Amino acid sequence: MASSSSTISPNEPTSHNKKKPIVIITIGMAGSGKTTFVQRINSYLHSLDPPKPPYTLNLDPAVASVPFEPNVDIRDTIEYKEVMKQYNLGPNGGILTALNLFTTKFDQVLGLMEKRADEVDYMILDTPGQIEIFTWSASGAIITDAVASSFPTVIAYIVDTPRTTAPATFMSNMLYACSILYKTRLPFILVFNKTDVADPAPMMEWMRDFEAFQEALAAEGAGMRDGDGDPTYMSSLMNSMSLVLDEFYKELKAVSVSAYTGAGIPEFFEAVDATREEYERDYLPELERAAKQREKNLRAKKDATLSRFMQDLSMDPNREKMGKWDPAAMDEEEEENEEDDDGEYIDLSEEKGPQPRVEIERARRPGTGGVGINWPRPG
Ligand SMILES: Nc1nc2c(ncn2[C@@H]2O[C@H](COP(=O)(O)OP(=O)(O)OP(=O)(O)O)[C@@H](O)[C@H]2O)c(=O)[nH]1
């Protein structure tokens, strides 16, 4: 899959000596505004002077309508409702299977992206509504790795700001973002969306100042103190987790946008452009190291198989005899065998006739209960 891309250096300029486009992968909880955001950044890039139309890919098979014209649309290849019917799946299983099927052809999509790399500055991927379908599936990982090994890539994690104003909810969302960052190791931008209806300033403050977050948690009150006024288990857990997150925030850029009004979109692109350097500095060496390691492992595996084969060959007692017919040696061997067999070989064939053949492997298979197996009957 990604093999076709692994030989391409993401750093290499394209044929016209132009830098490779940056791929923006938009990820976010259901309803956080991913599609609206992609539409907004798409129209922003079109409105620049000169326009910089991006290459867009829709990977959400279940989206009813896309408010932009994607260059590659998973829905053109796979009808997810048909997948549901054929494989007898529910909606999430259908979306996941559709994505899996699409991933088997992703090398072709990558080829299309490579072809257009000279003409565009940005490529944008919109992912399925249910976040875990992309972030916790093999297909999501394959697509992300394939793209990131060919192009500078950044994750835009869309946060539904109005739904994240409570400190505990905010923390849950950040823990999820943190897991994606550590899974992909790609440059990461937190995009606080829907800022036309909720101000993300308190959240930005929580990210900068650990104590401010602790205060907000304490102010939330419920479940934080027991009857004696001591901190509860929940409160201690939240405090420890917020300490972990404090480290995570240091690795992040955060921007506030409104996909609805377009506010904050230029700042978002400033953050995206800044990640190119980060990608080249941090991600690329890691990618090259992983590729070398993979190659080394493969070579080691091949060597091990070859040496095992050679060993087997040298231990094979017939090896010496192969090609050298020595009747005297064979007679000797036969005599030895006859001596060995004396008194040990009980031939029942004359007494009981031919014995039925039993496939022990099949008979012993757990759970078969012996059904369908013809056991020999006594007598
Ligand atoms: N007020 C406001 N509403 C927004 C904004 N961005 C998106 N929305 C609304 O949020 C809802 C969800 O937006 P979508 O773009 O469909 O979100 P999504 O994450 O792609 O949704 P799924 O893919 O279905 O999970 C829609 O009703 C949008 O109109 C915004 O910046 N401000």
Side-chain angles (χ1 to χ4, degrees):
M1 173 63 44
S3 56
S4 64
S5 63
S6 57
T7 49
I8 304 159
S9 166
N11 233 355
E12 249 169 45
T14 57
S15 53
H16 298 115
N17 233 10
K18 175 188 162 297
K19 278 188 173 176
K20 281 215 159 197
I22 299 180
V23 178
I24 303 166
I25 303 181
T26 50
I27 293 177
M29 298 288 174
S32 56
K34 295 177 292 293
T35 306
T36 316
F37 176 75
V38 171
Q39 148 69 358
R40 174 57 67 185
I41 56 177
N42 180 38
S43 69
Y44 169 80
L45 291 169
H46 274 92
S47 71
L48 292 177
D49 186 19
K52 291 183 177 177
Y55 194 76
T56 49
L57 299 96
N58 172 44
L59 300 184
D60 187 352
V63 68
S65 69
V66 182
F68 53 90
E69 189 73 37
N71 297 85
V72 175
D73 193 339
I74 187 171
R75 295 173 308 162
D76 293 341
T77 331
I78 296 154
E79 173 71 67
Y80 104 97
K81 286 203 173 137
E82 202 46 46
V83 171
M84 275 170 67
K85 249 192 249 159
Q86 272 190 23
Y87 293 85
N88 201 16
L89 297 165
N92 284 340
I95 298 171
L96 180 61
T97 308
L99 189 67
N100 287 344
L101 293 171
F102 184 73
T103 305
T104 61
K105 300 281 171 206
F106 199 74
D107 52 336
Q108 292 176 23
V109 176
L110 212 55
L112 293 174
M113 291 167 80
E114 283 292 343
K115 270 194 200 142
R116 294 294 298 276
D118 275 345
E119 301 159 29
V120 298
D121 288 339
Y122 302 99
M123 294 185 165
I124 307 168
L125 256 83
D126 192 8
T127 58
Q130 303 299 325
I131 187 167
E132 67 281 4
I133 286 178
F134 191 79
T135 54
W136 293 108
S137 66
S139 310
I142 289 169
I143 292 176
T144 308
D145 286 353
V147 166
S149 51
S150 296
F151 301 98
T153 305
V154 55
I155 305 282
Y157 185 81
I158 315 295
V159 180
D160 190 334
T161 311
R163 277 204 280 163
T164 319
T165 49
T169 321
F170 172 75
M171 196 169 71
S172 309
N173 206 341
M174 291 304 102
L175 283 170
Y176 204 99
C178 183
S179 69
I180 296 171
L181 172 76
Y182 286 112
K183 197 162 181 282
T184 62
R185 311 292 318 174
L186 282 168
F188 203 91
I189 303 176
L190 271 182
V191 182
F192 286 94
N193 189 27
K194 309 191 186 179
T195 54
D196 52 303
V197 284
D199 183 7
M203 288 156 236
M204 296 282 194
E205 177 67 8
W206 296 340
M207 290 171 65
R208 268 192 307 269
D209 183 355
F210 171 70
E211 281 174 10
F213 183 68
Q214 296 288 308
E215 279 165 26
L217 267 182
E220 201 173 45
M224 292 297 158
R225 302 257 158 204
D226 61 18
D228 303 327
D230 294 326
T232 56
Y233 168 72
M234 195 60 193
S235 147
S236 316
L237 179 69
M238 297 250 273
N239 284 340
S240 321
M241 286 198 295
S242 55
L243 266 175
V244 173
L245 284 174
D246 208 40
E247 282 301 309
F248 161 68
Y249 296 144
K250 288 182 190 139
E251 297 200 33
L252 293 186
K253 289 179 185 62
V255 292
S256 311
V257 305
S258 166
Y260 192 62
T261 64
I265 300 297
E267 289 78 6
F268 168 74
F269 276 102
E270 277 170 28
V272 168
D273 292 340
T275 60
R276 183 189 287 275
E277 197 189 312
E278 190 187 328
Y279 171 87
E280 287 166 4
R281 188 190 59 224
D282 301 336
Y283 184 76
L284 208 50
E286 182 59 25
L287 188 76
E288 280 159 6
R289 193 198 57 72
K292 269 192 203 138
Q293 186 63 40
R294 246 196 327 270
E295 210 172 291
K296 203 170 137 194
N297 290 349
L298 197 68
R299 211 174 318 122
K301 221 183 216 171
K302 267 189 201 161
D303 289 350
T305 312
L306 189 66
S307 87
R308 225 177 17 247
F309 174 69
M310 296 307 280
Q311 217 176 349
D312 286 354
L313 212 59
S314 69
M315 278 162 58
D316 187 348
N318 291 324
R319 193 175 70 106
E320 291 300 317
K321 289 176 198 153
M322 276 158 70
K324 283 195 262 166
W325 170 246
D326 182 355
M330 291 300 281
D331 286 348
E332 247 172 57
E333 200 175 312
E334 261 171 37
E335 268 169 35
E336 263 173 38
N337 287 345
E338 271 169 26
E339 276 167 27
D340 288 350
D341 290 342
D342 266 1
E344 283 175 21
Y345 182 58
I346 304 165
D347 187 358
L348 299 175
S349 57
E350 278 178 19
E351 288 170 31
K352 295 199 173 174
Q355 298 297 298
R357 187 163 174 269
V358 180
E359 285 183 27
I360 290 298
E361 289 301 317
R362 273 185 59 207
R364 288 187 182 163
R365 201 155 13 108
T368 60
V371 177
I373 295 163
N374 293 322
W375 290 99
R377 303 259 163 219

